[in-house]
Amino acid sequence: MAVLYSSSSTSLHLHSLRVPLTSPLLSFPFIIKLSRIPIIPLLIRCSSTTASTTTTTTTSTHQPSSIQRWESIRKKKVVMRVGYVGSDYRGLQLQRDDPTLRTIEGELETALYKAGGIRESNYGNLNKISWARSSRTDKGVHSLATMISFKMELPENAWTCDPYGIALARNVNSLLPDNIRVFSIIPAQRSFDPRRECVLRKYSYLLPAEIIGVTKDHTPADIDYHLSEFNSILNDFEGEHAFHNYTTRSKYRRRFPEKNSFRNNRSSKVETPSIESSSELESDDEEEEDIEIDGVVPLHVEEKNEKSLQSGDFDDNQANTCNENALEDPSFKSVVIARWLHEPDEADRLSGAHFRKIFRCSCGKLENSRGYGFVEISIWGESFMLHQIRKMVATAVAVKRDLLPRDILTISLNKFSRVVLPIAPSEVLVLRGNSFSVRKKPGTKRPEMLTIVDTKEILDEVDTFYRSMMLPEVSKFLDPSSYPWKEWLENLDRNTNVPEVELESVRSSWKSWKSNTEKYLSTIAEETIISQ
């Protein structure tokens, strides 16, 4: 099989992969605790080259005879680096409310329990073991660097001759599907918070080159022209902007909690969101990260806004028809695609969570796998919202194909605009790396995170999984004439456009806003000079 990334390219080099993971869900209609499994001590034999695990096998009505379970000696907080091919899963996050959905966290929890890493009394409730993830990914998205911290039941010889926790991880891997892999499990400091301390997430999106106009008969000069133009479009996303048009905005507004009133209505009880629930306080996708949200919207106002567009009010839950299904919806044509907020709208407020910082958004050189040309789009940022990356890619493609005007990028990143934008497929999105810094000491890195992100032995494990499992799967989706691209492109070309009247109205409003803002800043600058 052809190698997806050439050694000379800056694309997806494995030594630079830096990103954490979380776990899947259970396949039971309700939480059923497995019957107690005989406990076997985990023995680690050291050699001059590597550490290996040896256990006695046991049989159980709930486990195959080959399943290994260690005896717990102590409980300690650890950090676990996980990778997975997301094609067969409904995302990373466990979904207790719908056990028919298969998730990464569900598979991880079950494997850790069977291995001995989770007590029977804690199985079925990740909150009990302080489960925390660096980020979440959506359905079909892949990862090579998801970090999960939790309190783990440990065998007596954990990390003996195994400082990087690779042998410990392999024991868990023996109970996991082949498309999910634990690369390392190492001790973590008690104060470590994988979500809040992750300061950089690195994503790669592999895009068939033909979609942006690069064909096999093009000359090198033609190829350079198309890639340069597309790269320039992508660069417009760099910096700190309001990305509210690139997600479902309502998910990033805090709703007023329902109150259980006590005597004289002087106190109320607010239920703490479960780690296993889809809380509006968490934002992720493919992507997507958990961010605290400021600003609130009354629940009844939010729901009303989501149910009606009859008066012309824009709501991205219904008007965002440029998603996987709605591009085929005939009602798309009757929806307001773009408008400008001339006055504050309490039913459509933005919060600090809608603003995100993008450090890099660019594409690499033309590459080839299985005879198909593709480019790797690198998108690095502090954090991302649900569907943000896929909407960024789709919008850039729409601009490159002249379906949307170039200035729609600048307009859509303004907090006063409301624009419906398309969303790209998830099958070729990979969470490839990240960086961590101590929250209260910016720039300070924890030793365990330096180890799990940069150690060669761990990266070798990542490379093995990438080449044996992820590469073959992702390569299936590089043919622009096959799924998912053929139908997606047809829908994109047919339905992606902004009515001229709406476009001119929004464009005029943006120009007026820009002029007024420049005058205001100029006045402030003059007053500052005079006062000095």
Side-chain angles (χ1 to χ4, degrees):
M1 178 199 274
V3 177
L4 185 58
Y5 299 94
S6 64
S7 59
S8 62
S9 171
T10 58
S11 292
L12 189 56
H13 293 303
L14 271 294
H15 68 266
S16 66
L17 301 178
R18 309 278 185 276
V19 184
L21 170 68
T22 60
S23 13
L25 67 75
L26 300 173
S27 57
F28 306 106
F30 51 88
I31 303 306
I32 302 178
K33 293 186 177 179
L34 305 184
S35 62
R36 188 170 299 281
I37 299 169
I39 305 260
I40 308 298
L42 177 67
L43 304 177
I44 298 182
R45 297 175 180 173
C46 302
S47 68
S48 59
T49 57
T50 185
S52 62
T53 60
T54 304
T55 68
T56 305
T57 61
T58 93
T59 56
S60 164
T61 57
H62 297 281
Q63 290 181 294
S65 60
S66 60
I67 294 301
Q68 304 169 340
R69 181 174 174 83
W70 61 68
E71 180 181 2
S72 175
I73 302 300
R74 61 190 173 118
K75 188 176 184 179
K76 181 176 177 58
K77 184 172 184 176
V78 300
V79 58
M80 175 171 69
R81 178 170 179 166
V82 185
Y84 50 88
V85 178
S87 303
D88 297 333
Y89 300 93
R90 285 299 297 266
L92 172 67
Q93 186 181 18
L94 192 65
Q95 304 289 336
R96 299 278 189 210
D97 56 343
D98 190 348
T100 63
L101 300 179
R102 196 178 179 206
T103 65
I104 308 298
E105 282 185 344
E107 300 290 342
L108 285 174
E109 182 190 30
T110 300
L112 286 165
Y113 167 71
K114 291 180 178 180
I118 298 177
R119 290 183 182 179
E120 183 177 0
S121 59
N122 292 333
Y123 181 66
N125 189 344
L126 294 178
N127 287 316
K128 287 186 176 181
I129 58 174
S130 302
W131 187 276
R133 57 182 87 82
S134 60
S135 59
R136 293 184 295 181
T137 56
D138 199 14
K139 174 185 175 182
V141 179
H142 320 294
S143 174
L144 290 167
T146 298
M147 309 296 177
I148 300 173
S149 68
F150 65 102
K151 294 178 181 178
M152 184 178 185
E153 303 293 334
L154 295 168
E156 181 177 8
N157 297 315
W159 303 303
T160 299
C161 301
D162 181 32
Y164 305 129
I166 295 174
L168 197 61
R170 287 175 179 170
N171 199 269
V172 176
N173 288 333
S174 67
L175 301 161
L176 284 169
D178 290 341
N179 54 11
I180 302 175
R181 190 71 51 84
V182 177
F183 302 123
S184 171
I185 304 174
I186 60 176
Q189 297 176 17
R190 293 177 61 184
S191 59
F192 173 60
D193 186 328
R195 178 175 66 86
R196 298 180 185 277
E197 294 186 17
C198 187
V199 295
L200 176 65
R201 277 99 173 172
K202 301 177 181 179
Y203 282 88
S204 289
Y205 193 94
L206 309 186
L207 185 71
E210 189 174 312
I211 289 176
I212 56 173
V214 177
T215 59
K216 294 181 179 180
D217 58 350
H218 273 168
T219 65
D222 293 333
I223 294 172
D224 287 344
Y225 169 78
H226 283 288
L227 295 185
S228 177
E229 182 183 33
F230 189 54
N231 195 57
S232 176
I233 294 170
L234 292 168
N235 290 165
D236 284 354
F237 289 115
E238 294 180 350
E240 186 168 5
H241 308 287
F243 282 93
H244 55 292
N245 289 314
Y246 294 82
T247 187
T248 302
R249 287 195 300 281
S250 60
K251 287 184 176 291
Y252 298 87
R253 304 188 194 108
R254 175 174 291 160
R255 297 176 177 179
F256 290 131
E258 294 184 5
K259 297 182 179 181
N260 295 327
S261 299
F262 294 99
R263 191 174 306 170
N264 298 325
N265 294 323
R266 290 182 178 177
S267 61
S268 62
K269 180 180 180 181
V270 178
E271 184 177 347
T272 302
S274 166
I275 196 171
E276 298 158 11
S277 66
S278 297
S279 168
E280 72 274 9
L281 300 183
E282 292 185 295
S283 58
D284 1 67
D285 161 6
E286 333 107 20
E287 314 146 30
E288 306 325 19
E289 316 310 332
D290 305 335
I291 293 295
E292 287 186 352
I293 297 177
D294 54 3
V296 295
V297 171
L299 180 59
H300 68 279
V301 174
E302 182 94 4
E303 291 177 343
K304 180 179 179 180
N305 192 45
E306 291 178 2
K307 290 179 180 178
S308 176
L309 288 174
Q310 296 176 0
S311 63
D313 291 339
F314 176 91
D315 176 76
D316 51 319
N317 284 332
Q318 296 185 30
N320 185 8
T321 54
C322 293
N323 55 33
E324 296 93 332
N325 302 316
L327 275 176
E328 304 172 19
D329 187 352
S331 66
F332 176 84
K333 301 301 182 181
S334 65
V335 173
V336 175
I337 306 302
R339 72 184 181 99
W340 189 268
L341 289 185
H342 295 279
E343 296 180 357
D345 183 353
E346 288 299 312
D348 194 8
R349 290 170 56 182
L350 300 191
S351 74
H354 293 99
F355 290 78
R356 302 295 165 115
K357 183 180 293 184
I358 304 300
F359 298 109
R360 173 183 294 182
C361 189
S362 60
C363 70
K365 296 180 179 180
L366 178 65
E367 300 185 63
N368 188 282
S369 178
R370 292 185 170 184
Y372 301 115
F374 72 94
V375 293
E376 180 194 357
I377 301 172
S378 297
I379 303 179
W380 298 5
E382 285 184 336
S383 61
F384 300 91
M385 293 182 288
L386 180 66
H387 298 156
Q388 180 184 336
I389 291 175
R390 290 160 60 195
K391 279 177 167 284
M392 290 167 64
V393 171
T395 303
V397 169
V399 172
K400 179 66 174 68
R401 295 175 69 88
D402 292 326
L403 301 172
L404 293 174
R406 177 65 181 267
D407 63 351
I408 200 68
L409 299 176
T410 302
I411 292 172
S412 66
L413 295 173
N414 186 287
K415 64 182 180 180
F416 296 109
S417 69
R418 299 295 184 267
V419 185
V420 176
L421 298 170
I423 183 171
S426 64
E427 286 81 359
V428 289
L429 179 62
V430 181
L431 175 59
R432 48 168 290 195
N434 47 27
S435 295
F436 293 82
S437 179
V438 178
R439 190 181 181 193
K440 296 182 178 180
K441 299 178 181 178
T444 302
K445 300 182 182 297
R446 296 182 187 272
E448 64 265 37
M449 297 318 297
L450 288 173
T451 297
I452 207 165
V453 167
D454 294 319
T455 300
K456 179 182 182 301
E457 288 82 352
I458 296 175
L459 292 180
D460 287 343
E461 295 291 314
V462 176
D463 181 72
T464 298
F465 176 73
Y466 165 72
R467 296 187 182 283
S468 64
M469 292 302 303
M470 187 175 291
L471 178 61
E473 179 67 19
V474 175
S475 296
K476 296 177 183 178
F477 303 109
L478 296 178
D479 179 1
S481 62
S482 300
Y483 176 85
W485 301 108
K486 184 177 184 296
E487 184 177 5
W488 182 80
L489 269 181
E490 291 173 354
N491 290 328
L492 184 78
D493 291 346
R494 180 172 62 248
N495 295 320
T496 303
N497 72 295
V498 178
E500 192 64 29
V501 173
E502 295 177 18
L503 179 61
E504 287 304 317
S505 176
V506 171
R507 184 178 283 149
S508 175
S509 298
W510 176 80
K511 291 179 179 178
S512 177
W513 170 86
K514 181 181 179 184
S515 176
N516 292 336
T517 300
E518 290 175 348
K519 290 179 181 178
Y520 172 76
L521 293 176
S522 177
T523 300
I524 294 297
E526 291 175 1
E527 291 176 350
T528 302
I529 294 174
I530 293 175
S531 64
Q532 293 177 347

